[in-house]
Amino acid sequence: MEFSHKRRPVTTNWFFLFLLLSTNLLTLLYSTTFYSSCSHSPKIVVTESTVTVPSQSTVRSAATASLHAASEDDLPPEFKAFTSGQLLPFGVNPNFDSDTMYPPVGRPCTMFPDLLRRFMTYKVNGSCPDDELLAQKLLLKGCEPLPRRRCRHASPRDYVEPYPLPTSLWTTPSDSSVVWTAYTCKNYDCLINRKHRQQGFDDCKDCFDLDGAEKNRWTAAKSNGGLDFTIDEVLATKKPGTIRIGLDIGGGVATFAVRMRDRNITIITTSMNLNGPFNNFIASRGVVPLYISISQRLPFFDNTLDIVHSMHVMSNWIPTMLLHFMMFDIYRVLRPGGLFWLDHFFCVGEQLEHVYTPLIDSIGFNKIKWVVGRKLDRGPELQEMYLSALLEKPLKNSW
């Protein structure tokens, strides 16, 4: 049986060809867009020691910030002048393995071009702006170290010399030792009494009262197995005289350093100026302040410090991954046999068991003391816990 075939018009064939090509092109465009967007998503690497994974909002905000780093044209001229490589006068230096010197600044500096432009805008060889709040804001956003500037920073008016040692250790400094512009309080009387006069939260609110709680910190003769280890109990775990130098992370007004100084031990205290002149106050007492955030790599060489102490600052408000890096950095700077005194670390009860104990165990410290207790100052319903631990870096190689 024969069938007759009618030939399709040419226009019909062209129509089907156009439809086929259009479909393929749309498919290609969709797949390219889809896989391209996936490839730009931040990757989260989960290892054995990873305890928590950043939330989607955290990852998204971090990715957004990285995409908004300023272009070269947006950066202030003084910033580019400081960070540009400078040729060494005598050519290649074998220590640098280069003929060029590159001053360091924190990468996030360029993520905040408006703040950076304000910070780096000044008259060269003139006076710097009175911008301590701006500088600290940049620093806490990760612009650390801050770029150097070619201007003279403001000094206090009518400055007077500090009290001599040992009087300075327990005497409130003169108000004229501080430039007060950045702070709510404008004198030390306000700072000393703000616990009673001011509502709301301020970091280390009662720290400036040297006749208050500070007077009794680390003075007990025995801890009786509790959370409050005494300095002499800690030092007794080592041969006399072998704890000589160390670091206190987030040490408030450096009372720990003052107590250790009484025992001929030199302690450097890190502190920020969070609504108070902590660094000025520490220096006025006659001990050494170090103005760095907890995110900064510790500026000490490997295996050099005898002791590192931290009270309250290292706790569950720090992202777990950053806390992990931080504890490994403490391990790095401690000498073999050095001590890490983790003083009143706080978290929720279940976090201690499932997050922070495994994290601390992963560092490789030996446990000398490990005491857990209830944190009740904000109410038992929060189920918060304290951990005080004395940890030792092993004497033998840890790898």
Side-chain angles (χ1 to χ4, degrees), residues 271-287:
S271 187
M272 300 299 296
N273 289 339
L274 299 176
N275 202 21
F278 287 89
N279 283 266
N280 300 83
F281 194 86
I282 291 169
S284 293
R285 295 185 77 178
V287 287

Side-chain angles (χ1 to χ4, degrees), residues 34-235:
F34 176 78
Y35 288 112
S36 175
S37 64
C38 289
S39 65
H40 285 94
S41 298
K43 295 179 180 179
I44 301 172
V45 179
V46 181
T47 63
E48 288 182 0
S49 60
T50 302
V51 184
T52 60
V53 176
S55 66
Q56 289 296 322
S57 60
T58 303
V59 172
R60 190 158 49 247
S61 62
T64 303
S66 66
L67 290 172
H68 285 84
S71 67
E72 185 74 15
D73 293 338
D74 292 332
L75 298 175
E78 275 296 280
F79 180 79
K80 290 190 283 188
F82 174 65
T83 56
S84 298
Q86 301 294 321
L87 290 174
L88 296 170
F90 303 108
V92 174
N93 184 310
N95 294 320
F96 288 82
D97 193 23
S98 173
D99 64 353
T100 306
M101 180 181 290
Y102 293 93
V105 293
R107 177 181 174 273
C109 293
T110 60
M111 295 180 183
F112 308 98
D114 292 339
L115 297 178
L116 183 63
R117 186 176 298 106
R118 287 167 54 196
F119 181 71
M120 295 302 292
T121 299
Y122 53 86
K123 182 180 179 181
V124 176
N125 298 329
S127 297
C128 296
D130 186 357
D131 57 1
E132 181 188 333
L133 271 179
L134 172 64
Q136 184 163 263
K137 183 180 291 187
L138 267 172
L139 193 148
L140 290 174
K141 287 178 176 291
C143 183
E144 188 176 27
L146 289 167
R148 286 175 169 169
R149 300 195 289 189
R150 296 185 288 177
C151 56
R152 287 179 289 276
H153 284 255
S155 297
R157 289 186 177 183
D158 305 319
Y159 182 80
V160 296
E161 294 286 326
Y163 292 104
L165 286 165
T167 304
S168 63
L169 296 172
W170 292 101
T171 304
T172 302
S174 166
D175 291 339
S176 65
S177 62
V178 175
V179 176
W180 292 94
T181 315
Y183 314 118
T184 303
C185 283
K186 305 304 178 186
N187 54 58
Y188 277 120
D189 178 72
C190 173
L191 285 173
I192 290 169
N193 291 288
R194 65 180 178 178
K195 182 177 181 180
H196 308 290
R197 298 174 182 170
Q198 293 181 8
Q199 294 183 347
F201 174 81
D202 265 315
D203 189 65
C204 208
K205 200 167 186 176
D206 61 347
C207 285
F208 291 95
D209 185 4
L210 296 181
D211 292 321
E214 292 298 306
K215 201 74 173 179
N216 300 312
R217 292 195 197 278
W218 300 290
T219 57
K222 293 182 180 180
S223 63
N224 297 316
L227 291 159
D228 298 313
F229 303 166
T230 71
I231 289 177
D232 292 329
E233 283 177 337
V234 169
L235 297 181

